Amino acid sequence: MTTRRKFLQTAGVGAMAAPLAAPALASGTIKWRMQTYAGSALAAHVIDPAIEMFNKIAGDRMQIELFYADQLVPTGELFRAMQRGTIDAVQSDDDSMASPTEVTVFGGYFPFASRYSLDVPVLFNQYGLNEIWDEEYSKVGVKHISAGAWDPCHFATKDPINSLADLKGKRIFTFPTAGRFLSQFGVVPVTLPWEDIEVAMQTGELDGVAWSGITEDYTVGWADVTNYFLTNNISGAWAGSFFANMDRWNELPEDLQTLFRVCTDQSHYYRQWWYWGGEANLRVNGTKMQLTSIPDDEWAQVETAAVKFWDEIAAESPTKAKVVEIFRKYNADMQAAGRPYRYG
């Protein structure tokens, strides 16, 4: 934290190298600092290509300096730093960065809100979530630029999980809302800096993670320190977004705003196929973790608990109730549509 504070005080001079090599800049170049929730290995897929593309096209008109998980501020402080203008833009889910909005609880992994990754962009673009997110973030001086899907939420653990009873007492790194939901099954949610997870698994501080699908487990090294992968999941896709300080966003010329949107859309598209293909490939061909499953009739208890959890969240405010109602409507539509949208 001392290093981070020094970095902020010196505006990034000398204390820490930027992940992207900066070109020679014209004196009038717009410069942004952006931090992602992801560590460097994961960022190579979920954000680096998009920012490199933006910088290449924008040239000396604008450059974005990208920082990885916890490099400038801890992930849980990202929202406040962006709101203050210490950071200009952020890639994260609402839940992890602790945004003070009515929609925060739905970011990351809201239990069983989605079955597949395509559910997330449809919910935002066709079922009205974009408008709700825009309104909520505009109230607090932040621009919600776009939301997209990441991977599903599975357990990767040291010991095998073959029943709900096996979850009891397990210390699991997960998201705030997911942890709140899973605690009723005996899971002990643990919050740590992202980069500390692998070591925490090795030292026994953690028994597992419920933070990603199998693609990330392999990409970031967690497959090297866990032995089992549970095929049941509590959500079909992580929901995350790109955000910016509202003043910084409004200062951009319209064409640069459009370019940023195009590059974030490219990022969303990249993740759609990278995760979708990766999840299947590593289940079939991966060699580092053994697959386990909780029987469907037992896992149905978790799905039933999610319905009650939705009711609990909806009772907290009218805005939350509106979002939950959208989830209900969407999932009912998908169920009625049948195959390939929903099975059974």
Side-chain angles (χ1 to χ4, degrees):
M1 183 59 72
T2 300
T3 302
R4 294 190 191 107
R5 287 171 179 160
K6 182 179 179 183
F7 185 95
L8 295 173
Q9 291 168 358
T10 58
V13 178
M16 200 175 296
L20 301 178
L25 302 180
S27 59
T29 301
I30 300 169
K31 301 175 186 178
W32 271 18
R33 292 191 296 176
M34 179 178 188
Q35 184 169 310
T36 176
Y37 74 98
S40 58
L42 182 58
H45 293 280
V46 302
I47 185 63
D48 280 355
I51 299 305
E52 289 168 1
M53 177 187 296
F54 180 93
N55 287 341
K56 182 177 181 180
I57 297 172
D60 63 6
R61 292 189 64 202
M62 180 172 176
Q63 291 289 301
I64 298 174
E65 190 175 14
L66 181 63
F67 299 89
Y68 300 141
D70 305 313
Q71 279 194 319
L72 296 184
V73 296
T75 297
E77 298 176 16
L78 276 177
F79 178 86
R80 295 298 185 187
M82 174 174 50
Q83 188 183 44
R84 292 192 303 266
T86 304
I87 299 173
D88 301 296
V90 164
Q91 179 198 42
S92 178
D93 69 281
D94 318 72
D95 205 19
S96 296
M97 70 176 187
S99 64
T101 71
E102 289 294 313
V103 298
T104 297
V105 70
F106 304 109
Y109 292 120
F110 191 67
F112 297 98
S114 63
R115 179 78 62 90
Y116 307 117
S117 57
L118 276 175
D119 291 338
V120 173
V122 174
L123 279 162
F124 274 87
N125 293 299
Q126 295 185 359
Y127 276 72
L129 293 192
N130 266 337
E131 290 75 13
I132 297 173
W133 260 246
D134 181 74
E135 181 178 355
E136 286 299 309
Y137 279 96
S138 294
K139 293 176 183 177
V140 290
V142 166
K143 176 64 179 177
H144 178 258
I145 298 168
S146 67
W150 275 250
D151 49 341
C153 184
H154 293 261
F155 284 87
T157 54
K158 291 181 179 178
D159 300 323
I161 305 296
N162 294 299
S163 69
L164 291 180
D166 292 336
L167 293 174
K168 293 181 179 179
K170 293 293 189 294
R171 293 159 298 179
I172 302 294
F173 172 64
T174 190
F175 292 84
T177 298
R180 173 180 169 184
F181 172 69
L182 291 169
S183 62
Q184 66 187 288
F185 301 102
V187 170
V188 180
V190 177
T191 301
L192 291 170
W194 191 91
E195 293 285 4
D196 293 346
I197 301 309
E198 187 171 349
V199 173
M201 289 294 303
Q202 293 171 312
T203 61
E205 187 176 357
L206 289 175
D207 298 307
V209 296
W211 202 86
S212 69
I214 198 168
T215 304
E216 287 194 16
D217 291 334
Y218 274 74
T219 301
V220 306
W222 294 344
D224 298 321
V225 293
T226 55
N227 302 314
Y228 298 93
F229 180 84
L230 182 65
T231 60
N232 310 76
N233 62 56
I234 66 163
S235 184
W238 188 77
S241 297
F242 289 91
F243 305 88
N245 174 278
M246 185 69 79
D247 290 337
R248 299 291 81 73
W249 177 258
N250 289 336
E251 290 168 0
L252 291 184
E254 185 176 356
D255 63 329
L256 288 179
Q257 291 181 349
T258 300
L259 176 60
F260 191 87
R261 289 185 182 278
V262 168
C263 291
T264 58
D265 283 346
Q266 186 277 336
S267 178
H268 296 322
Y269 171 69
Y270 181 105
R271 290 191 312 276
Q272 284 284 346
W273 61 260
W274 183 65
Y275 279 120
W276 185 256
E279 297 297 304
N281 176 59
L282 289 170
R283 285 193 187 198
V284 175
N285 300 308
T287 59
K288 295 182 178 181
M289 292 189 291
Q290 182 179 333
L291 303 184
T292 66
S293 297
I294 296 175
D296 289 345
D297 57 348
E298 187 176 359
W299 190 250
Q301 298 176 42
V302 183
E303 297 182 355
T304 298
V307 175
K308 296 179 180 178
F309 186 75
W310 285 21
D311 291 338
E312 177 185 334
I313 297 300
E316 293 179 353
S317 75
T319 298
K320 291 178 180 177
K322 185 176 181 180
V323 174
V324 168
E325 184 56 35
I326 288 174
F327 285 149
R328 295 191 199 281
K329 166 65 174 171
Y330 177 75
N331 280 280
D333 286 352
M334 296 299 103
Q335 194 70 31
R339 297 172 187 265
Y341 299 94
R342 294 292 186 268
Y343 291 79

